Amino acid sequence: VVSGYSGAGKSALVHQARKPVSELGGNFLCGKFDHFRQMEPLSVIIVAFTEFCNMIATKDAEKLRRTRTAIQEKLGSEIAYLANIIPSLCRIVPIPKTETIKESGIGAQNRFKYIFQLFVRAIATSEQPLALFLDDLQWADPLSLDLIESLVTDAESKSLFFMGSYRDNEVNETHPLTAMLHRIDSNNHVNLTKINVGNLTR
């Protein structure tokens, strides 16, 4: 997790990871939270994974086949649920017709997080690791922070490399991001590295 003032070079630093991730055969996804779009929960993460689906759909046939098989094995009939959230998933896997299970409240949130965990386990493998970079975390909506925490702390997800950046002058001890980072840092399954940058453009 990279922190610093606006314009300090946080994003430029993180984007240096693109090349090594690519050399390992992995995929680099990124998204940027917007102060004016906080009322659109999960939109930044959904866009990032939509781009992943579109990218995989245009890859070579073997990589597409491996990804399709992994998703089908991990998610099974839950593919239909996820396709309602990420419609471009249909470019990778056929969407099974299943009866919609109506849930609300905490039950719906927990189901969503679990299915998304399964999805990430399927697409982030030792042969094809996944790097996810989310910028301006200080503006992330509560549901996005909750999903990020569930993905990062998933002990069965071995090949996900999460990177985040935020403006530390806009995040105090009572900020939801601070609480999330404290919980992640105390999780024995997670190796959290914190980097504070000055002005890298100087």
Side-chain angles (χ1 to χ4, degrees):
V1 179
V2 183
S3 61
Y5 284 87
S6 174
K10 302 183 298 297
S11 299
L13 176 64
V14 172
H15 277 286
Q16 294 299 311
R18 275 187 179 273
K19 186 176 180 180
V21 169
S22 178
E23 290 174 347
L24 289 171
N27 297 299
F28 190 102
L29 307 183
C30 59
K32 183 180 178 69
F33 289 99
D34 189 319
H35 178 61
F36 299 104
R37 297 186 65 184
Q38 288 177 298
M39 298 304 291
E40 300 176 34
L42 302 167
S43 61
V44 171
I45 296 176
I46 290 172
V47 168
F49 282 92
T50 294
E51 291 177 357
F52 167 82
C53 293
N54 292 333
M55 176 178 61
I56 291 296
T58 61
K59 293 288 186 179
D60 62 86
E62 178 57 24
K63 191 167 188 177
L64 175 58
R65 185 197 63 79
R66 288 200 309 267
T67 305
R68 177 189 298 121
T69 300
I71 293 173
Q72 289 174 324
E73 290 178 350
K74 286 287 186 184
L75 273 76
S77 62
E78 297 290 11
I79 291 173
Y81 175 92
L82 192 60
N84 285 326
I85 300 163
I86 308 175
S88 61
L89 185 61
C90 68
R91 298 190 65 189
I92 301 177
V93 294
I95 309 302
K97 293 183 179 180
T98 59
E99 185 177 344
T100 302
I101 300 175
K102 293 184 178 181
E103 291 181 294
S104 60
I106 298 299
Q109 290 181 30
N110 289 339
R111 184 185 181 204
F112 170 75
K113 287 190 295 183
Y114 177 65
I115 292 174
F116 220 99
Q117 283 179 331
L118 293 178
F119 180 50
V120 171
R121 290 176 198 173
I123 64 176
T125 65
S126 56
E127 296 81 18
Q128 185 177 289
L130 179 67
L132 174 62
F133 169 48
L134 296 177
D135 197 4
D136 282 331
L137 287 172
Q138 75 277 358
W139 292 326
D141 59 275
L143 287 179
S144 290
L145 289 178
D146 198 23
L147 178 58
I148 291 168
E149 183 177 352
S150 70
L151 295 177
V152 171
T153 58
D154 182 8
E156 294 187 42
S157 187
K158 307 293 185 183
S159 300
L160 171 66
F161 178 40
F162 175 78
M163 297 167 285
S165 67
Y166 66 96
R167 301 177 185 181
D168 54 359
N169 61 308
E170 297 186 27
V171 175
N172 57 27
E173 282 300 313
T174 62
H175 195 286
L177 176 61
T178 302
M180 184 197 78
L181 292 176
H182 283 326
R183 291 192 298 271
I184 291 176
D185 202 18
S186 64
N187 189 298
N188 294 329
H189 298 296
V190 181
N191 181 16
L192 179 64
T193 301
K194 298 178 181 178
I195 302 173
N196 182 267
V197 299
N199 193 336
L200 297 181
T201 62
R202 290 179 181 174

